[in-house]
Amino acid sequence: MATPAVPASAPPATPASAPAPAPASASAPAPSPAPAPAPSPAPASSSDPAAAAATTAAPGQTPASAPAPAQTPAQSLSGPALPGPFPGGRVVRLHPVILASIVDSYERRNEGAARVIGTLLGTVDKHSVEVTNCFSVPHNESEDEVAVDMEFAKNMYELHKKVSPNELILGWYATGHDITEHSVLIHEYYSREAPNPIHLTVDTSLQNGRMSIKAYVSTLMGVPGRTMGVMFTPLTVKYTYYDTERIGVDLIMKTCFSPNRVIGLSSDLQQVGGASARIQDALSTVLQYAEDVLSGKVSADNTVGRFLMSLVNQVPKIVPEDFETMLNSNINDLLMVTYLANLTQSQIALNEKLVNL
Amino acid sequence: MASRKEGTGSSAASSSSTTGAAGKGKGKGGSGDSAVKQVQIDGLVVLKIIKHYQEEGQGTEVVQGVLLGLVVEDRLEITNCFPFPQHTEDDADFDEVQYQMEMMRSLRHVNIDHLHVGWYQSTYYGSFVTRALLDSQFSYQHAIEESVVLIYDPIKTAQGSLSLKAYRLTPKLMEVCKEKDFSPEALKKGNITFEHMFEEVPIVIKNSHLINVLMWELEKKSAVADKHELLSLASSNHLGKTLQLLMDRVDEMRNTSKQQQQKHQYQQRRQQENMQRQSRGEPPLPEEDLSKLFKPHQPPARMDSLLIAGQINTYCQNIKEFTAQNLGKLFMAQALQEYNN
């Protein structure tokens, strides 16, 4: 189990020796430094040890990189998709199983570890990146160095590939609410595994009373020709569910309401009752909205109005006699099938008795 | 009947569980008393099983995986799971035992419970009572007293409610399997009926506090589900398929008496011919020994018919649940329509 430790001066040196695309991409991200407060201390501090240790970094690098994030606070989410580095566009789609795994591995972390990291697996397509699986990777982190067990990560990836060969390494995740200098180093590791990896943070320390989930991709920034810093630009995070996943999550969510966080699987009619209660809630919300609009409290919105009209029109108008016949024939079918099932069961029970004689 | 390719896969899994469990001790409290009164599953395991089926299991092949956890008094806690790759023909050198050992070793490094407590399998419309399942579960239960098999029904889940059941072999059946004697006498001695083969263990789902926070967060951020499959009235397709499977099974059960029928028919034809010959004045045909023509009628393997009976029972239970739900929905629709008029 090799745990390679990384010298802190490595990353700032490599972007300086990066080939021609570096200056081109440096100019593109410069006008979109939206997350100014959080990531900018990171590159500034990573270039500090570089200034101390590396020989190629000019001392004038630090003030030169400082004005770059301080430029126009244009929103990074508007405008056309950025050309170049990020392969899938700007949307990351997460499945809930990823987040549950991350939280679970955070709960099982070693003594003294402040956060856990791991690899994200999934697929890339034209418009977005879909993360479907993940596994945690043991690592050690201290003030001045970080060690990640890359052998382990490779092995786990091989094992996972046997089950789902379509999954690629997309990036990595970390718990905790901020991006630290070590994140830059770990991100460097992962850039060797995947082209332009994503970094996902899950805030398990619940700052601001929320568990914020954010995704970033790294972009180079700074003055071209000099030592480049690394900046993390945020991406939109969306949650996708398979249908069955949605149903599973709805069920698991019920543990939030029970006192000891335990629920049992409900029986058939209870489920129908539960689903109807949900629809009732939805209907009462819609009714409340309609009342508010009528009494003038809320201004009417045409789109919502159109939806409401299509909703009301969807209730089919059936002649009562036809409905009676349909209902009765359906009920007869179901009753007959129930009778047959009961008959079959008693038949095989009889068979047992006879055979055992 | 759905094709099953999991035979070798699951037997490899079960043989490795024997070696794995022998090396590691059991969780606290799980020594003599083999009864497991309750199975407690983490939400994470449910999500992983759902995801595994969704990605790997389109079609009628079953997907399988291993459950990890520990035993606490009379409760079996399942805290994690990992999927098993499907058994493909071209992977002759794919070592399933090694896959499992490596996976468990790696998971141990990240502090995930590495005790093997059972396995899960998906099912097609509820048809899971097979000899293969019986054998696998027997070897698991033999090695680890408290192991269960989780049956996940994806089609029923897609209809609106999670369908996950935990089964164990009853102690009586365990005895019989240990003897490896499946003759009718042994089964009669053990007084085993199809209702006493598998026992279902109630499941509860439990989440930690942090996961609850995550659920709230997801609730806020995701769109409201727009499909309410559970309340859909158009579900006769499902009913049709289940009935078809039920009919197939009942036919299987009756097939064993086909030979008897053929014997009868032959005898009758012989008698008729003899009468005709007599009327024509020819000597009657010699009475041939029927037992030479038809091989001695084997009594059907008792175990097979037990399994088929158990399967039929499961189908009937499913049908009854299904019709109960549908009747409820139909009565609701009737009430709404009356209100409209």
Side-chain angles (χ1 to χ4, degrees), chain A residues 16 66 77 80 86 90 97 101 158 214 230 234 243 263 289 299 305 321:
Chain A
L77 298 178
F86 191 55
R90 317 210 54 169
V97 65
S101 283
E158 291 301 316
K214 302 206 192 82
V230 162
D243 293 335
I263 51 160
Y289 172 79
S299 64
E321 292 83 23

Side-chain angles (χ1 to χ4, degrees), chain B residues 301-312:
Chain B
R302 185 80 183 93
M303 201 57 202
D304 284 343
S305 55
L306 257 188
L307 285 172
I308 297 179
Q311 184 62 70
I312 293 182

Side-chain angles (χ1 to χ4, degrees), chain B residues 59-287:
Chain B
T60 55
E61 300 217 351
V62 292
V63 297
Q64 297 180 314
V66 167
L67 298 171
L68 308 164
L70 64 152
V71 180
V72 176
E73 294 152 2
D74 63 352
R75 227 176 34 226
L76 177 67
E77 292 192 14
I78 301 181
T79 53
N80 215 322
C81 68
F82 61 85
F84 224 70
Q86 288 191 329
H87 195 60
T88 49
E89 298 85 17
D90 48 302
D91 270 348
D93 54 348
F94 176 68
D95 194 354
E96 282 141 357
V97 178
Q98 201 195 1
Y99 171 82
Q100 205 165 354
M101 295 314 292
E102 272 200 43
M103 200 61 163
M104 288 169 74
R105 215 182 305 136
S106 315
L107 289 175
R108 192 177 6 173
H109 280 147
V110 288
N111 299 337
I112 294 184
D113 293 326
H114 54 276
L115 293 181
H116 214 147
V117 293
W119 58 301
Y120 67 85
Q121 179 180 306
S122 75
T123 170
Y124 179 70
Y125 280 112
S127 37
F128 57 88
V129 183
T130 62
R131 192 57 188 270
L133 186 112
L134 192 73
D135 288 339
S136 309
Q137 181 58 19
F138 169 65
S139 29
Y140 262 82
Q141 237 172 288
H142 192 60
I144 305 162
E145 286 274 10
E146 299 84 6
S147 74
V148 299
V149 53
L150 275 187
I151 302 287
Y152 165 66
D153 190 345
I155 299 169
K156 200 146 174 249
T157 307
Q159 287 198 330
S161 59
L162 180 68
S163 155
L164 199 63
K165 298 211 166 102
Y167 289 101
R168 285 167 52 81
L169 299 182
T170 48
K172 287 197 270 189
L173 193 60
M174 286 288 289
E175 284 298 322
V176 171
C177 286
K178 259 187 231 175
E179 310 291 320
K180 290 214 184 316
D181 179 13
F182 292 120
S183 66
E185 296 81 24
L187 288 173
K188 193 154 48 160
K189 199 164 50 135
N191 197 15
I192 296 185
T193 65
F194 64 88
E195 284 159 357
H196 294 142
M197 289 206 305
F198 290 99
E199 57 179 9
E200 187 178 334
V201 186
I203 295 183
V204 291
I205 298 186
K206 183 169 169 133
N207 279 331
S208 67
H209 290 292
L210 210 48
I211 299 244
N212 275 354
V213 174
L214 177 71
M215 290 293 142
W216 282 115
E217 192 66 33
L218 279 181
E219 166 102 4
K220 276 202 161 128
K221 296 244 186 89
S222 0
V224 175
D226 55 351
K227 276 191 181 189
H228 290 278
E229 280 300 326
L230 189 54
L231 291 177
S232 155
L233 285 172
S235 37
S236 50
N237 200 13
H238 177 99
L239 190 61
K241 285 235 176 68
T242 324
L243 278 178
Q244 182 69 39
L245 287 170
L246 181 63
M247 290 193 317
D248 287 341
R249 278 296 184 287
V250 171
D251 278 343
E252 251 184 59
M253 216 169 164
R254 272 200 51 238
N255 261 350
T256 49
S257 59
K258 217 162 150 188
Q259 224 185 23
Q260 199 79 20
Q261 272 186 339
Q262 283 178 332
K263 252 180 166 172
H264 258 285
Q265 280 177 348
Y266 181 81
Q267 266 181 330
Q268 278 185 333
R269 259 185 286 133
R270 263 323 178 81
Q271 278 181 349
Q272 270 188 343
E273 266 203 47
N274 279 343
M275 286 201 320
Q276 281 180 345
R277 283 179 172 236
Q278 272 183 344
S279 62
R280 279 184 278 174
E282 290 169 13
L285 290 168
E287 273 299 313

Side-chain angles (χ1 to χ4, degrees), chain A residues 107-108 132 252 261 263 345, chain B residues 51 111 205 207-208 313:
Chain A
E107 286 173 351
R108 292 168 183 277
T132 51
I252 298 176
R261 310 184 316 269
I263 51 160
Q345 272 184 319
Chain B
K51 169 200 175 288
N111 299 337
I205 298 186
N207 279 331
S208 67
N313 195 27

Side-chain angles (χ1 to χ4, degrees), chain A residues 133-181:
Chain A
N133 207 345
C134 68
F135 55 84
S136 77
V137 173
H139 83 300
N140 287 322
E141 207 170 301
S142 62
E143 275 305 314
D144 41 350
E145 74 168 20
V146 76
V148 174
D149 192 355
M150 287 314 267
E151 273 301 310
F152 179 93
K154 278 200 188 46
N155 277 342
M156 279 294 260
Y157 179 52
E158 291 301 316
L159 288 176
H160 275 266
K161 246 170 99 156
K162 293 203 176 118
V163 180
S164 25
N166 301 330
E167 288 183 343
L168 315 160
I169 295 187
L170 287 181
W172 64 293
Y173 68 80
T175 59
H177 66 98
D178 223 351
I179 302 189
T180 68
E181 308 112 40

